[in-house]
Amino acid sequence: MKKATCIFFILLIAFASCKKGNKLQKEQTNAQDIKKQPNIIFIYADDLGYGDVSAYGATELSTPNIDKLANGGLKFTNGYASSATCTPSRFALLTGTYPWRNKDAKILPGTAPLLIDTTQVTIPKMLKTKGYQTGIVGKWHLGLGTGNVNWNARISPGPNEVGFDYSYIMAATQDRVPTVYIKNGYVDNLDPTDPIEIDYNKNFEGEPTGTDNPELLKMVGDPQHSNSINNGVPRIGYMKGGTSAKWIDEDMADHFLAEAQNYIEQQKNNPFFLYYALQQPHVPRTPNPRFVGSSSMGPRGDVIIEADWCIGELLKTLEEQGLLENTLIVLSSDNGPVLNDGYADEAVETLGNHKPGGPLRGGKYSLLEAGTRVPFITYWKGTIKPSVSEALVSQVDLLASLSSLLDTDVVKGDSQNLLSTFLGKTDKGRENLIIEATTRTAFRQGDWILIPPYKGSVINKIKNIETGNSKEFQLYNLKEDIGQKNNLAKAKPEILKELIKNFEAIRGGSYSEIEQPVFK
Ligand code: NG6
Ligand code: CA
């Protein structure tokens, strides 16, 4: 071999082994960086708006514990719930499937059957394949049983049948019957001699209601929220019996917190997943007396402070148990904010300068941004570097991303693997996203959002929320116009056309069963 050729080969071998060494080193760093089986906690608030958190710009109230997560982790400014209401968002969160694919994924009554098919992939099921213990504490609102639930026997299927080893839940919402806690399918503290009956259509003879017995109320509801009374608060739906099992609203936050803390303490020696689904600041807003007056804006502000305190206590538990550095926490909300949602609780009157949706337009139930863009934080002490991310991310992506973290093989559907984005290793998020609000859908691509024309009221007068409906196409550049003030549909026909095409390709032709867009 000639000398030059010989030197060339030596160099080539040296280069190859050096590259291999680098790669190996890189892989090792990654493996060290990402501890493989962290505990995973979802802290999921109910109706908490983009502007309800001080880390997201609220000035009229302070949320130091959520801020601690936001400032010590990744604060997403383009993070979305899948829907502007609860049930569809929760469905998407757990299944990684867009809610508009399931026609039953609407706000459910307390008697609705389980919405998630027991054969469907869910985050807790996926985690169980990797040896995780899985638990839910808090609001469920995804239906229970198969119809005609007997509340006095084991209620099944429910959370335990779609992947949770442990469940301590309220069935639907705080404003709906049954107003009891359910532990692993059994109503907690039920006296069998006082069985529970539930009906969403008619009252049980002799049972008081908000409409008929206003003297029993400590909080007044609108006609829809004036059926059975528990703890002086009228609800949606009728309930009889179960007196010993009924919750006391003012204790609910402490009650769920204690359950969550207990769960963490019990599971500390193995990897666990805890879905801590807070009930605040959904109606009825019933702060514990310790928090009454803690904000300047009545019960809605007070329960946000209370929720923030609960989060602080949960963090303390993790710290005390030495778990904080081995726990990935995701904090978000199921949909945007609403002030008047059925009870006279002064949310509107005492608001002052507070903007629950921050700079965003709309609110809960709305296709406009405040309906679905919510606080969205990932926190993992020592692993996620504190930063702000503008990446487009959705709660629907958590399934695929966690699946990637744990190397599991699940059908990902609509869920995209954004693990690197959630861990702050890249700023790149989704290219596009479909959001939903009361069965209507809109399409975000890059900085643009397209809202197709919808019939129906432009403003919900009772809630004072713009719905997002318009007879015209709406097209906004969210980077330049976060408040969706300038509809560019007419000025930017090429962009409009492209978004319509891409939206149709994913969404298909039928946008809504109720309100057909005037699309062509
Ligand atoms: C609505 C209720 C509202 C709230 C909501 C569910 C009426 C008039 N309004 O139907 O008070 O309970 O459902 O909220 O009944 S969610 O956050 O769980 O989606
Ligand atoms: Ca909600």
Side-chain angles (χ1 to χ4, degrees), residues 91 97-103 414 506-507:
F91 173 79
T97 303
Y98 276 140
W100 46 265
R101 293 196 193 277
N102 183 334
K103 65 173 179 32
D414 300 310
I506 304 172
R507 179 71 177 87

Side-chain angles (χ1 to χ4, degrees), residues 46-47 84-86 107 282 335-338 341 362-366 370-371 465:
D46 193 1
D47 297 4
T85 59
C86 165
I107 298 172
H282 193 282
N335 53 253
V338 57
D341 211 11
K364 183 176 178 179
Y365 310 107
S366 176
I465 289 174

Side-chain angles (χ1 to χ4, degrees), residues 86-98:
C86 165
T87 300
S89 283
R90 285 163 204 258
F91 173 79
L93 173 77
L94 292 181
T95 64
T97 303
Y98 276 140

Side-chain angles (χ1 to χ4, degrees), residues 46-47 84-88 90 107 139 141 172-173 175-176 222 224-225 236 282-283 334-335 341-343 364-365 463:
D46 193 1
D47 297 4
T85 59
C86 165
T87 300
R90 285 163 204 258
I107 298 172
K139 178 176 177 175
H141 209 189
T173 58
D175 57 352
R176 283 176 173 77
D222 65 13
Q224 284 90 357
H225 293 79
I236 305 174
H282 193 282
V283 295
D334 66 341
N335 53 253
D341 211 11
Y343 294 92
K364 183 176 178 179
Y365 310 107
K463 299 181 196 303

